[in-house]
Amino acid sequence: MENAGKFYINGKWIDPISSEKMDVINPATEEVITQITLASEEDVDLAVAAAKRAFATYSQTTIEQRLGWLENLLAIYKRRYSEVADTITAELGAPTTMAHEQQAAAGTDHLADFIDVLRKLKLEETLHNGETLLREPIGVCGLITPWNWPINQIVLKVIPALATGCTCVLKPSEFTPLNATLYAEMIHEAGFPAGAFNLVQGAGPVAGATLSRHPDIAMMSFTGSTRAGKAITKDAAENVKRVTLELGGKSPNIVFDDVDVEDRITFSVLDVFNNSGQTCDAPTRMLVQRSIYDEAVKVAKRVGDAAKVGDPRVKGDHIGPLVSHIQFDRVQTLIQAGIDEGATLLVGGVGKPDGVNEGYFVKPTIFADVNNTMRIAREEIFGPVVAMIPFDTEEEAIKIANDTPYGLAAYIQTPDDAKADRVARKLRAGMIRINGAFPRPGSPFGGYKQSGIGREGGLFGLEDFMEIKMLHKP
């Protein structure tokens, strides 16, 4: 990729000041795809300065102008859609079918929705008391995105920043940097003014921390681990900048005894295995009512035994590798912890799948007889690992579900609409998915407790990037 080793600053691809390199690894083969340069503080300062200069004029552009650039970007993205999907397969290991149908699709779905919402956004309105409220862009935004759904998170941050008149500096994950390079090329082609969008590659402790501490950054938007989110919040506090966070999860999935067990358990297991389990709102804690627990365990084992891992370049519904050796080692440690703490290993376990010698592939793993004090029930594993926990009553299920420091999502499986609604209102989570319902573009994405602050997507995603100004007239 021509621009892989460069940064996009002030409308140009430039050579970095830093000389520190990092290999981009194909997680399926462990081969080097290319190298990127890791930004120094000086590199970040250049990008922020460009965004600051651009904000003076870009913040004064009209919604109609911004809509034109966004519509250009959508057309360009659609033209380069397959290139995006193939890049995500190469650097993340997402199987090609999944990369085309889900990963790359997020780039069109969210952008199209933001265009619709921006057309309806009210920048000025009269309040019930007769006074005038204005909405204005907050300023220069620092955006840090993760590796697990890379384009999805880039779009959910970059587009609302640009749509509202903010300027921004994007630092994507250093493990999946190439899709961000592609997106920067598209933004350039779409015609956005120089400096409105800037891209640096780099590691969190240097590039990410420099953005978070920078006095000219008005807002930080971060998606990633809760640990890193806390560090960014502390760094940002010195300048009292706005911080929005989309962090970890340990989502409960409550399966009541009135369901079609075969259907709901199959869905639940496969939902965890999607994206190799590397999804923040995956339903990894499967709470099953005791009267159907034994049957559910049998179905889960059958589904787990049938799950296949394989080459992500091959079409199909198999599972790809984890993103890196770091993630592989972490998942192995937690699988071993489940065994050591006495959970029943139904499927999988430590080590690579049989016959696999290269790549960061793990065995799809299911534990039964888990209790909510075990590490596999408390910690976010971020791999294809399911923990099955029995419960007796509705009240007990709610108690177990809420017994977590996280609150991103929760799942309910029951054909009883009244029960589903009743339970949903008692769960401390930002998103409740009932009977497999999938979030639609435009709905706010985010959670309670240590799962984050703020919401992404739709109108709520735009409002996070705006300040409110009141006009008090006599």
Side-chain angles (χ1 to χ4, degrees), residues 97-356:
T97 300
M98 184 264 185
H100 280 80
E101 294 179 355
Q102 297 180 48
Q103 290 275 4
T108 51
D109 294 346
H110 289 305
L111 177 50
D113 183 76
F114 277 129
I115 289 171
D116 288 342
V117 173
L118 183 58
R119 289 193 178 103
K120 303 169 187 174
L121 181 66
K122 293 182 179 180
L123 297 182
E124 179 175 339
E125 63 181 288
T126 301
L127 298 184
H128 67 283
N129 60 7
E131 297 199 308
T132 302
L133 179 148
L134 305 179
R135 291 184 177 86
E136 299 180 346
I138 191 170
V140 180
C141 301
L143 314 176
I144 302 179
T145 54
W147 45 259
N148 62 321
W149 288 85
I151 281 292
N152 180 76
Q153 292 306 127
I154 287 172
V155 173
L156 284 172
K157 297 184 190 303
V158 170
I159 298 307
L162 295 176
T164 55
C166 297
T167 58
C168 59
V169 178
L170 169 66
K171 189 211 82 67
S173 169
E174 61 271 34
F175 294 103
T176 55
L178 301 182
N179 62 89
T181 298
L182 283 178
Y183 209 69
E185 291 174 358
M186 296 182 213
I187 287 174
H188 180 84
E189 185 180 347
F192 285 91
F197 169 85
N198 305 272
L199 168 69
V200 297
Q201 307 284 4
V206 178
T210 302
L211 279 175
S212 302
R213 296 170 185 156
H214 205 292
D216 292 331
I217 294 284
M219 171 183 170
M220 287 298 301
S221 179
F222 170 79
T223 297
S225 70
T226 297
R227 174 191 55 79
K230 291 177 180 178
I232 286 168
T233 302
K234 290 176 182 177
D235 287 340
E238 181 67 26
N239 296 295
V240 199
K241 56 174 59 73
R242 183 179 297 174
V243 177
T244 63
L245 305 170
E246 197 269 282
L247 307 175
K250 195 68 183 175
S251 300
N253 178 18
I254 302 173
V255 184
F256 287 104
D257 62 5
D258 51 2
V259 300
D260 179 329
V261 176
E262 181 76 30
D263 176 67
R264 290 295 85 200
I265 298 301
T266 298
F267 166 84
S268 297
V269 171
L270 295 180
D271 205 13
V272 176
F273 290 173
N274 188 48
N275 204 38
S276 302
Q278 299 170 130
T279 301
C280 52
D281 61 339
T284 53
R285 285 190 299 151
M286 189 191 297
L287 282 55
V288 182
Q289 199 150 21
R290 199 176 301 273
S291 57
I292 60 167
Y293 187 76
D294 290 344
E295 182 184 0
V297 166
K298 292 177 182 177
V299 173
K301 177 173 172 50
R302 186 167 66 250
V303 174
D305 283 334
K308 304 297 182 184
V309 300
D311 187 340
R313 295 169 298 182
V314 177
K315 291 182 179 180
D317 59 1
H318 52 281
I319 300 170
L322 300 182
V323 70
S324 68
H325 71 280
I326 297 171
Q327 191 62 21
F328 177 87
D329 290 345
R330 171 173 173 76
V331 172
Q332 295 299 306
T333 296
L334 286 167
I335 290 174
Q336 186 61 55
I339 295 170
D340 293 343
E341 291 182 332
T344 300
L345 182 64
L346 293 179
V347 175
V350 294
K352 294 183 179 181
D354 293 342
V356 174

Side-chain angles (χ1 to χ4, degrees), residues 36-92:
I36 60 169
T37 303
L38 301 179
S40 64
E41 291 184 13
E42 292 78 12
D43 288 307
V44 175
D45 286 343
L46 278 178
V48 173
K52 182 181 180 181
R53 289 192 301 272
F55 181 74
T57 52
Y58 187 72
S59 62
Q60 301 305 305
T61 58
T62 65
I63 285 182
E64 288 70 25
Q65 286 176 299
R66 288 175 236 149
L67 281 169
W69 293 317
L70 291 173
E71 288 166 347
N72 290 346
L73 178 59
L74 181 58
I76 295 164
Y77 186 94
K78 288 179 178 179
R79 190 182 75 233
R80 301 187 70 177
Y81 186 99
S82 291
E83 192 177 353
V84 172
D86 292 344
T87 299
I88 293 174
T89 293
E91 63 182 353
L92 174 61

